[in-house]
Amino acid sequence: MGKTEKGKSSFFQKNSQLLVPLIALMLLVIFNLIRDPGFFSIELVNDNAGNPVLQGNLISILNGASELAILAMGMTLVTAASGGQDISVGCLAAIAGSVFIKVLKSGPITPWLVLGGVAACCLVAMCFGAFNGTLVSVFRVQPMIATLILFTCGRSIAYWINGGATPTVESDIVKAIGGFIPGFPIPAPILIVVLMGIFFALLFRFTTLSMYLQAVGINNNAARLNGINAVGVKLLAFVLLGLCCAVSGVIATGRLQLVNHETLLINIEMDAILAVAIGGNSLGGGKFKMIGSVIGAYIIQALTVTLYAMKVSSTDVKAYKAVVIILLVVLGSPVVKRWFGSMRNKLAVAGSRKEAA
Amino acid sequence: MDNGTVLTMRGISISFPGVKALNRVNFTLREGEIHALMGENGAGKSTLIKVLTGVYAKDEGTIEIAGIPGHITIHSPQEAQRLGISTVYQEITLCPNLTVAENMYIGRGKGMGVPWKKMYREAGALLDSLGIPARPRQLLKTCSLAVQQMVAIARAVDTQCKVLILDEPTSSLDDREVEMLFGLMRDLKARGVGIIFVTHFLDQVYAVSDRITVLRNGELVGEFETAMLPKVELVSKMMGKELEGLADVAPKRDAEEEQAKVYYQAEGLSSTESKPFDFRIREGEVNGFTGLLGSGRSECVRTIFAADRVTGGRVTVEDKPVTINKPIKAMRNGIGYLPEDRKRDGIVADLSVRENIILALQVMKGFFHPFSRKKAEAFADEYIKTLDIKTASTDTPIGSLSGGNQQKVILARWLLTHPRYLILDEPTRGIDIGTKTEIQRLILKLSQETGMSITFISSEIEEMLRTCSRLIVMRDRNIVGELTGDELTQDHVMYTIAGGGN
Ligand SMILES: Nc1ncnc2c1ncn2[C@@H]1O[C@H](COP(=O)(O)OP(=O)(O)OP(=O)(O)O)[C@@H](O)[C@H]1O
Ligand SMILES: [Mg+2]
């Protein structure tokens, strides 16, 4: 076994799964720049209240993808540990949003009440996450089937919470959550994504969570025989996804300052799953890179914004999106990767022959 | 191509990231011969086979097969099968959730329809004729590993094959089953089938093979007639140096005689898979469970580690009563367990060698105390050196190591936890002869120098006789005898297993 190169593998070898999504994102950017050189220009303007805010397509892509990015983070964990997906995230976000509003409606809106509302809806969403997680880890129900329950009845639960109404709230604080913090020009949802990113980064840095999730997802038996509480790890993944649902529910509620249980983050579950796949993560579980899923979320949003900017009708947008997504998923598939790998080897062999000659 | 040659491979090269796995290797297989492919762990044997069967695409080289003009390229295992090349891979690749018969026939019918009745009838006949103790309608996962291995072989021989490849088929079989398999191989040989046989058991090579091809570090060492190549020479060709004799393996120590402190004791311990049994081990003792495959020896040690659900019994560790109902509790009581089925229970295939090595210790250290990268790297490097694990880097996924090297990684994982009591179920399976001796030496050294208690299970009785001071003999899931001191001879063990004892 002659070692061709010794020691550490390069950055690209280690992060090869990010290659396709990064290139896709770059192509999208270049495509837009050619189409409209000013597409990504950002301007600082004053909003109605006279506060400075940033504006531009780039900002609206980053801002608009916030909920999706956060859900994709949580979905990555569930996918890794259970090898399946949670299809109830949109409904759970609606429940969380409803709980949030319900609490706000209980009295005069003070910062403390808002904080209480956020805490309450996080708690509720995490409990629902634990419910899903229990079905999957203890009763070994397929994740998609287990979460189908909440997918079916989640929006009805959201309906009951506020007695069938779609209540609105008048509050600067709530408005700020979905918009701008006065005096700070970057949209608050973008900041929340960054905060969630930091939260998970710290979690991975200071606990063994990422190793456990992967071990359980790759080989449940081996994980168990090495002392890992496989049931607990899967449960934890679902609880963390619940937290992500709550956070994105709060953002979505803040954007409109109302909660409509029927339309809040509707159909986002499929995009969240796609984001995970586009990010180069296997939907069969195991190894994962959360950053990939986040990039995936931004790709989906950038694609949507681009298509709308090209005046594609909203029905056609879906078809175009599908085409691009198929391409990305196929390019990132193991078969294509292996093909590229063997091509590289053959080229290397041919190269060394030429040198010899 | 000469007459009588069924297969010629020339100048085969293939690289993986960081490794040149094969470098211009030649291989020739003749009609009606059993050709052993030998080499240390990671020499490239399985890779050569996977190139031949289309699992990997070669970077360089040519393949010719009798009856087909010109060079051929094999793109997939299915294509290889069509060309008459049947394979039993080193790692079992059957579907545990299907029946035995389905596993034997699935994926090889011509059309879509499956003649179920006919399939079950033929499967039954074939299983009978090969003497495989399995029923066609039984789920594969309910069979022991050995039986699964035999089913994989039955699947391979059941086609009109010209070339049969067996990659370490005997590593989980006992002597009787090996003999049965050899009978089968000789039958096929008489029918003109060329057989490629990979194994680490030298005796088996000399028992059946006609020729030997030796690989070392991805390079061809040479092709030899078995009859002309003495064993010692074969070993030195494989290793590139002489084998250190076992003579300097330290003598075993008899903890029983010394009356050392009892470390672990169980009374009436039972699990969902095993009947109640009593067991104890002293500090520094090396003992073993022996018996035929399926006699319940693996199930007993699994119960000790709580790998299956424990249903009853009293356990004391260092004379203190403890409850061990989860693996983590066993680990916290100083117990380590290297499982029998490496692929199912041992490796976490996509994780790196480093992560696989530190896994158990990391779990014991706790959720909120991850090892730093530097520390993990140091641990991994240390054991890669101690056990001479061949890997491109500590970042390489364990799944891409050779079978024997994967086994060493799992062993490293448990040695790293510094257990007081280590259970090793078939630790030397798939390990080359040089390393096997190393491991036996290590077992004796650990027990003597650190007072570690070790329970050792192996299909090779000699290996156990060499290391264990007490053997517990099992038959039909019951303990039927215990042998110590002078009773530790092969004859005695066989006699007790056969029902003479007790
Ligand atoms: N898919 C792969 N990716 C990367 N490296 C690989 C892959 N398959 C094999 N290798 C490397 O190629 C070398 C040869 O491996 P191979 O499995 O052929 O060894 P072997 O001779 O069969 O050993 P053993 O006796 O342990 O089974 C090893 O160093 C291994 O790490
Ligand atoms: Mg091998």
Side-chain angles (χ1 to χ4, degrees):
Chain A
M1 186 185 68
K3 289 192 180 164
T4 48
E5 64 195 73
K6 199 157 159 65
K8 313 279 170 279
S9 33
S10 73
F11 172 82
F12 274 110
Q13 266 172 11
K14 259 189 242 167
N15 295 292
S16 63
Q17 77 167 75
L18 299 184
L19 211 60
V20 173
L22 279 176
I23 290 174
L25 199 57
M26 232 153 64
L27 287 180
L28 262 175
V29 170
I30 293 170
F31 175 76
N32 275 310
L33 284 179
I34 293 172
R35 207 172 47 79
D36 172 8
F39 192 74
F40 289 112
S41 65
I42 295 174
E43 21 178 14
L44 192 64
V45 299
N46 286 342
D47 66 2
N48 299 339
N51 289 312
V53 297
L54 287 172
Q55 260 181 7
N57 283 322
L58 187 60
I59 296 295
S60 78
I61 290 172
L62 290 178
N63 187 7
S66 302
E67 291 96 320
L68 184 57
I70 292 170
L71 288 177
M73 290 179 191
M75 191 68 83
T76 314
L77 304 182
V78 163
T79 301
S82 72
Q85 285 73 39
D86 184 334
I87 57 171
S88 68
V89 290
C91 305
L92 196 44
I95 294 177
S98 303
V99 170
F100 182 49
I101 295 281
K102 176 92 179 169
V103 173
L104 294 184
K105 282 287 181 192
S106 68
I109 296 176
T110 61
W112 287 114
L113 187 67
V114 176
L115 217 59
V118 172
C121 76
C122 285
L123 206 70
V124 169
M126 282 157 88
C127 286
F128 277 108
F131 169 75
N132 283 338
T134 308
L135 286 180
V136 171
S137 62
V138 179
F139 296 99
R140 306 209 191 136
V141 182
Q142 282 281 318
M144 284 225 186
I145 306 297
T147 54
L148 189 62
I149 302 169
L150 208 54
F151 175 77
T152 317
C153 70
R155 289 188 191 270
S156 312
I157 297 174
Y159 169 89
W160 293 327
I161 290 171
N162 282 306
T166 51
T168 53
V169 284
E170 291 291 332
S171 157
D172 287 341
I173 306 175
V174 177
K175 195 172 172 197
I177 292 177
F180 289 89
I181 301 163
F184 202 78
I186 298 173
I190 298 181
L191 298 180
I192 298 177
V193 173
V194 173
L195 281 181
M196 287 301 281
I198 293 175
F199 168 72
F200 281 117
L202 291 178
L203 202 59
F204 292 156
R205 175 75 183 71
F206 290 105
T207 72
T208 56
L209 183 64
S210 103
M211 190 192 204
Y212 285 12
L213 286 168
Q214 302 186 53
V216 169
I218 296 166
N219 189 342
N220 197 47
N221 266 330
R224 198 172 55 81
L225 290 184
N226 281 288
I228 295 177
N229 178 353
V231 170
V233 168
K234 279 186 208 162
L235 198 64
L236 185 59
F238 274 93
V239 170
L240 287 170
L241 176 58
L243 177 70
C244 293
C245 292
V247 173
S248 38
V250 168
I251 296 175
T253 313
R255 284 192 202 278
L256 302 172
Q257 292 132 66
L258 68 81
V259 61
N260 181 335
H261 53 83
E262 280 302 335
T263 56
L264 186 103
L265 296 181
I266 189 101
N267 291 341
I268 200 162
E269 46 277 332
M270 289 306 146
D271 277 351
I273 295 170
L274 264 178
V276 174
I278 292 176
N281 297 302
S282 155
L283 292 189
K287 271 196 100 71
F288 69 91
K289 281 219 155 53
M290 190 178 266
I291 183 76
S293 310
V294 175
I295 295 173
Y298 288 121
I299 291 177
I300 293 175
Q301 186 69 15
L303 192 61
T304 315
V305 170
T306 307
L307 290 171
Y308 280 126
M310 289 166 69
K311 307 255 173 342
V312 177
S313 82
S314 64
T315 356
D316 294 355
V317 162
K318 284 190 186 137
Y320 282 105
K321 254 167 94 176
V323 171
V324 175
I325 285 160
I326 291 170
L327 243 122
L328 285 180
V329 174
V330 169
L331 278 179
S333 69
V335 176
V336 176
K337 265 192 210 150
R338 216 171 60 190
W339 186 77
F340 275 122
S342 75
M343 276 310 279
R344 201 182 51 208
N345 279 349
K346 283 207 179 113
L347 287 179
V349 169
S352 61
R353 272 213 197 117
K354 229 178 245 161
E355 259 168 45
Chain B
M1 231 151 98
D2 314 336
N3 274 341
T5 329
V6 275
L7 169 79
T8 324
M9 300 173 84
R10 267 189 214 303
I12 305 288
S13 297
I14 182 168
S15 306
F16 297 109
V19 199
K20 182 119 197 174
L22 290 176
N23 190 11
R24 314 233 165 122
V25 170
N26 300 330
F27 182 81
T28 312
L29 183 69
R30 292 155 194 85
E31 205 173 289
E33 81 168 350
I34 299 179
H35 196 136
L37 187 55
M38 306 282 297
E40 293 188 287
N41 294 132
K45 305 178 295 290
S46 298
T47 306
L48 186 68
I49 283 164
K50 287 182 182 164
V51 167
L52 177 59
T53 55
V55 177
Y56 296 145
K58 58 189 185 306
D59 296 339
E60 265 188 307
T62 59
I63 302 177
E64 284 176 79
I65 288 184
I68 301 167
H71 297 164
I72 57 163
T73 314
I74 300 169
H75 299 96
S76 70
Q78 286 77 18
E79 193 175 337
Q81 184 102 49
R82 273 200 301 281
L83 291 168
I85 304 174
S86 296
T87 318
V88 179
Y89 294 102
Q90 183 170 6
E91 309 290 346
I92 292 176
T93 46
L94 302 177
C95 311
N97 287 322
L98 297 181
T99 62
V100 167
E102 281 166 339
N103 267 297
M104 288 165 64
Y105 288 93
I106 227 90
R108 58 153 64 132
K110 291 266 151 48
M112 292 292 282
V114 179
W116 294 103
K117 269 227 180 89
K118 187 160 159 260
M119 181 179 91
Y120 280 114
R121 204 175 50 235
E122 281 180 7
L126 186 67
L127 289 171
D128 279 348
S129 74
L130 300 180
I132 301 172
R135 282 168 291 116
R137 289 176 193 276
Q138 190 177 4
L139 283 189
L140 188 76
K141 67 177 171 197
T142 61
C143 301
S144 73
L145 202 61
V147 173
Q148 293 188 21
Q149 184 83 58
M150 302 287 281
V151 170
I153 294 166
R155 175 189 163 89
V157 298
D158 181 50
T159 41
Q160 290 304 317
C161 61
K162 284 187 280 188
V163 178
L164 175 65
I165 303 171
L166 302 169
D167 194 352
E168 299 195 27
T170 53
S171 57
S172 49
L173 305 188
D174 64 25
D175 289 350
R176 198 173 41 102
E177 290 162 322
V178 168
E179 235 358 275
M180 225 150 65
L181 175 64
F182 284 178
L184 181 69
M185 284 165 72
R186 292 195 186 101
D187 269 4
L188 291 168
K189 171 180 159 170
R191 277 173 25 200
V193 177
I195 299 178
I196 305 177
F197 179 44
V198 181
T199 184
H200 289 294
F201 298 104
L202 299 188
D203 293 341
Q204 296 180 359
V205 170
Y206 282 92
V208 287
S209 75
D210 305 303
R211 265 196 195 76
I212 303 175
T213 290
V214 179
L215 298 180
R216 187 167 69 230
N217 288 341
E219 315 245 350
L220 177 70
V221 176
E223 190 197 80
F224 312 92
E225 302 246 353
T226 309
M228 315 293 276
L229 186 71
K231 243 184 220 180
V232 262
E233 221 166 288
L234 169 61
V235 172
S236 68
K237 285 203 180 343
M238 279 160 55
M239 311 210 327
K241 59 172 193 225
E242 299 295 321
L243 176 68
E244 288 171 47
L246 258 175
D248 57 336
V249 170
K252 339 183 261 206
R253 111 184 196 191
D254 197 333
E256 196 72 23
E257 209 149 78
E258 285 174 29
Q259 290 294 312
K261 273 214 335 249
V262 171
Y263 183 73
Y264 172 97
Q265 176 146 21
E267 273 170 48
L269 189 64
S270 65
S271 78
T272 48
E273 309 293 317
S274 76
K275 292 185 187 166
F277 66 97
D278 297 341
F279 175 75
R280 84 176 154 2
I281 189 163
R282 293 172 188 272
E283 277 175 7
E285 175 179 347
V286 182
N287 67 12
F289 282 89
T290 179
L292 298 177
L293 282 158
S295 61
R297 50 183 204 201
S298 293
E299 285 74 9
C300 277
V301 293
R302 284 180 72 89
T303 310
I304 295 172
F305 190 72
D308 299 317
R309 201 160 59 77
V310 176
T311 50
R314 276 188 310 282
V315 173
T316 58
V317 169
E318 295 193 299
D319 293 332
K320 282 189 288 290
V322 292
T323 317
I324 297 179
N325 52 9
K326 281 189 288 202
I328 185 71
K329 292 217 175 132
M331 287 156 72
R332 295 216 185 286
N333 278 302
I335 305 176
Y337 165 65
L338 183 131
E340 176 187 25
D341 189 340
R342 167 174 74 224
K343 196 176 176 194
R344 201 190 66 190
D345 296 334
I347 65 168
V348 185
D350 296 338
L351 289 190
S352 65
V353 168
R354 180 186 57 247
E355 288 165 304
N356 269 287
I357 288 180
I358 66 162
L359 186 60
L361 187 63
Q362 176 65 79
V363 173
M364 286 174 73
K365 195 166 173 237
F367 186 68
F368 291 104
H369 304 282
F371 283 116
S372 71
R373 176 66 180 253
K374 220 172 112 199
K375 197 81 192 267
E377 205 73 52
F379 282 143
D381 281 337
E382 180 191 337
Y383 278 91
I384 286 174
K385 204 177 301 141
T386 326
L387 297 181
D388 189 25
I389 300 170
K390 281 187 189 139
T391 172
S393 75
T394 54
D395 266 334
T396 313
I398 189 177
S400 68
L401 298 198
S402 79
N405 282 301
Q406 293 180 8
Q407 184 75 353
K408 291 192 207 170
V409 171
I410 307 299
L411 186 61
R413 173 192 292 170
W414 288 108
L415 291 180
L416 181 60
T417 64
H418 296 290
R420 299 280 309 281
Y421 171 29
L422 183 57
I423 300 166
L424 301 169
D425 196 351
E426 302 277 5
T428 55
R429 167 174 300 163
I431 289 213
D432 66 48
I433 172 142
T435 318
K436 212 175 242 178
T437 338
E438 274 316 308
I439 288 180
Q440 289 166 17
R441 190 171 296 150
L442 190 74
I443 287 174
L444 289 169
K445 191 175 134 219
L446 286 171
S447 75
Q448 275 159 14
E449 288 175 9
T450 67
M452 193 189 284
S453 316
I454 294 172
T455 293
F456 183 42
I457 296 181
S458 169
S459 301
E460 284 173 83
I461 290 189
E462 306 93 74
E463 197 176 44
M464 297 189 67
L465 292 174
R466 215 173 289 144
T467 45
C468 299
S469 63
R470 187 159 62 98
L471 277 185
I472 295 152
V473 184
M474 298 201 61
R475 183 177 354 111
D476 297 331
R477 315 206 152 239
N478 288 312
I479 295 179
V480 293
E482 217 182 280
L483 305 177
T484 51
D486 294 341
E487 300 165 328
L488 290 173
T489 63
Q490 185 136 6
D491 290 342
H492 230 101
V493 174
M494 287 330 245
Y495 179 69
T496 319
I497 287 178
N502 212 3

